[in-house]
């Protein structure tokens, strides 16, 4: 009966130990302190520990009257899952009432188990008086028969009582192992919590840097697109201006060509008529009958006189064929195009006024940088002389 009771108590103690391990907070390494919050990854934390981790991961996140002005994030210390919070912070996380109830029940059972464990120890000692449990406490290197049971604060090492009384630590400050153990355990727990917070903060910084790289790439792509659009617009303006100026030259070319071709036709007709008169004159010269010759020669001489005169035909003025009066000088425009560059922030207002009036100068603003065509300088007046209209010679009198 005593052995059965001992086995039952021991088994229950093991169950309680296993349960206690499941109720340990991964931050403070102690049993969960209510209220207990459950993360989206289904892991649990003390709300105080969760708030400490969150504050360490977001040291510069502004708060106002206990609530955040905007959401924040931190990583679960157990699985590294990223937890995104709303403006309520960790106070917006759901409480795990089931774990809190289990903690209450565990504490009640623990208080009952304390008495049972004492009974179990008495039963074990009475049933096995000769069996000794192996001690896990290390032994002193100097005094091999002495257990290490105190801690030398001066040298920071555990030692035995004999070393304190007779050995190397007799003049040192010592403290009980349990006290130093709890102190160092607390320091280690705080250090782990701090490292977890620092790691989460560094991870947050890395995430922010990655996001900054993505935003930089997106902004650069958008700004390059705007710059290309401005240059395309500038190309279209230049193409339209080239078309207009070429059209002016083409119009005068066609006008002069039409006039020259018409004048050529007139001279050709006159030449054809003159050839006919010459041919008739040669035929008349072959006439041997004097009376018949005299009858025809009068009209023929009149026609020869008329055909010999070109006063009624237009004459092209000297230099009429030249087209070099269409002169252009793009030196100032070339200089303006060569000076295209991104504008400074203090030029924004001036550029906006210029854009509102005539749309002069391409302008694109991006995060403190802008691209612009400098205000176009007044173009040099096109050096075009009035087209030389063909002059007609007045008929000679």
């Amino acid at each position: 009966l005593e052995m059965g009771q001992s086995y039952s108590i021991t088994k229950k103690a093991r169950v309680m130990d296993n349960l206690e391990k499941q109720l340990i907070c991964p931050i403070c390494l102690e049993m969960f302190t209510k209220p207990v919050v459950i993360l989206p990854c289904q892991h649990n934390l003390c709300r105080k520990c969760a708030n400490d981790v969150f504050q360490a991961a977001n040291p510069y996140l502004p708060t106002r009257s206990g609530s955040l002005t905007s959401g924040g994030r931190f990583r679960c210390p157990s699985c590294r899952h990223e937890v995104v919070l709303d403006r309520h912070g960790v106070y917006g996380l759901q409480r795990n009432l089931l774990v809190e109830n289990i903690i209450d029940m565990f504490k009640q059972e623990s208080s009952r188990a304390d008495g049972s464990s004492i009974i179990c120890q008495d039963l074990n000692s009475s049933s096995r008086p000769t069996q000794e449990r192996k001690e896990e406490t290390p032994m002193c290197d100097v005094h091999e028969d002495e257990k290490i049971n105190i801690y030398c604060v001066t040298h920071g090492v555990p030692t035995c009582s004999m070393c304190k009384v007779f050995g190397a630590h007799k003049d040192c400050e010592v403290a009980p192992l349990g006290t130093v153990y709890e102190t160092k355990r607390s320091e280690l727990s705080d250090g782990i919590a701090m490292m977890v917070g620092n790691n989460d903060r560094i991870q947050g910084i890395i995430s922010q840097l990655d996001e900054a790289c993505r935003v930089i790439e997106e902004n650069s792509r958008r700004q390059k697109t705007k710059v290309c659009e401005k240059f395309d617009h500038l190309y279209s303006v230049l193409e339209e201006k080239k078309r207009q100026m070429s059209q002016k030259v083409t119009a005068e070319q066609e006008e002069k060509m039409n006039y020259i071709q018409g004048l050529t036709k007139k001279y050709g007709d006159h030449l054809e008529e003159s050839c006919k008169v010459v041919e008739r004159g040669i035929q008349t010269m072959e006439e041997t009958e004097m009376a018949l010759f005299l009858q025809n020669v009068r009209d023929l001489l009149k026609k020869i006189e008329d055909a010999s005169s070109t006063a009624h035909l237009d004459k092209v003025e000297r230099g009429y064929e030249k087209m070099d009066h269409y002169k252009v000088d793009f030196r100032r425009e070339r200089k303006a195009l060569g000076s295209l560059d991104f504008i400074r922030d203090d030029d924004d207002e001036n550029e906006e006024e210029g854009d509102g009036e005539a749309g002069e100068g391409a302008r694109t603003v991006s995060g403190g940088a802008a691209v612009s065509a400098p205000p176009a300088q007044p173009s040099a007046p096109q050096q075009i002389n009035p087209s030389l209209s063909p002059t007609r010679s007045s008929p000679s009198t």
Side-chain angles (χ1 to χ4, degrees), residues 90-117:
V90 297
Y91 293 91
L93 293 173
Q94 184 178 1
R95 290 180 62 179
N96 195 335
L97 299 180
L98 177 60
V99 172
E100 293 181 5
N101 292 334
I102 292 175
I103 291 173
D104 293 335
M105 296 171 62
F106 177 84
K107 290 181 178 180
Q108 293 176 2
E109 290 296 325
S110 296
S111 61
R112 297 174 183 173
D114 289 338
S116 300
S117 62

Side-chain angles (χ1 to χ4, degrees), residues 75-142:
R75 292 187 179 275
C76 172
S78 298
C79 66
R80 310 304 297 165
H81 177 77
E82 188 176 49
V83 180
V84 180
L85 304 178
D86 58 12
R87 63 185 183 86
H88 298 291
V90 297
Y91 293 91
L93 293 173
Q94 184 178 1
R95 290 180 62 179
N96 195 335
L97 299 180
L98 177 60
V99 172
E100 293 181 5
N101 292 334
I102 292 175
I103 291 173
D104 293 335
M105 296 171 62
F106 177 84
K107 290 181 178 180
Q108 293 176 2
E109 290 296 325
S110 296
S111 61
R112 297 174 183 173
D114 289 338
S116 300
S117 62
I118 297 174
I119 296 174
C120 180
Q121 291 176 1
D122 293 340
L123 291 174
N124 289 336
S125 60
S126 61
S127 62
R128 292 175 295 177
T130 59
Q131 184 178 1
E132 295 180 0
R133 292 168 47 187
K134 293 183 179 180
E135 297 291 342
E136 297 180 358
T137 305
M139 308 301 287
C140 179
D141 294 337
V142 179

Side-chain angles (χ1 to χ4, degrees), residues 23-25 28-37 44-50 95-96 99-100 103-104 107:
L23 299 177
I24 297 299
C25 174
C28 62
L29 302 180
E30 300 289 345
M31 185 176 294
F32 288 117
T33 303
K34 296 190 294 183
V36 180
V37 294
N44 299 289
L45 292 175
C46 308
R47 188 158 69 185
K48 179 182 180 301
C49 296
R95 290 180 62 179
N96 195 335
V99 172
E100 293 181 5
I103 291 173
D104 293 335
K107 290 181 178 180

Side-chain angles (χ1 to χ4, degrees), residues 1 58 61 82 84 109 117 143 157 260 262 274 279 318 355:
L1 179 61
N58 302 269
L61 195 63
E82 188 176 49
V84 180
E109 290 296 325
S117 62
H143 307 92
V157 293
I260 294 296
S274 297
E279 184 180 356
R318 185 177 182 180
D355 290 344

Side-chain angles (χ1 to χ4, degrees), residues 242-258 323 325-326:
K242 181 177 72 173
R243 186 191 65 79
Q244 294 176 359
M245 296 176 67
S246 298
Q247 189 175 7
K248 288 182 180 181
V249 177
T250 302
E252 184 168 338
Q253 172 192 347
E254 293 176 354
E255 179 184 354
K256 289 186 175 184
M257 290 290 292
N258 292 335
M323 299 291 289
H325 51 278
Y326 286 102

Side-chain angles (χ1 to χ4, degrees), residues 322-353:
K322 294 182 179 180
M323 299 291 289
D324 54 2
H325 51 278
Y326 286 102
K327 297 180 180 179
V328 293
D329 185 3
F330 291 147
R331 286 177 295 180
R332 281 187 288 183
E333 287 78 2
R334 186 183 299 110
K335 183 178 180 180
L337 291 174
S339 63
L340 288 177
D341 200 354
F342 294 96
I343 64 174
R344 299 186 303 272
D345 289 341
D346 53 3
D347 294 337
D348 286 351
E349 297 182 358
N350 297 333
E351 288 297 328
E352 289 176 356
E353 293 176 358

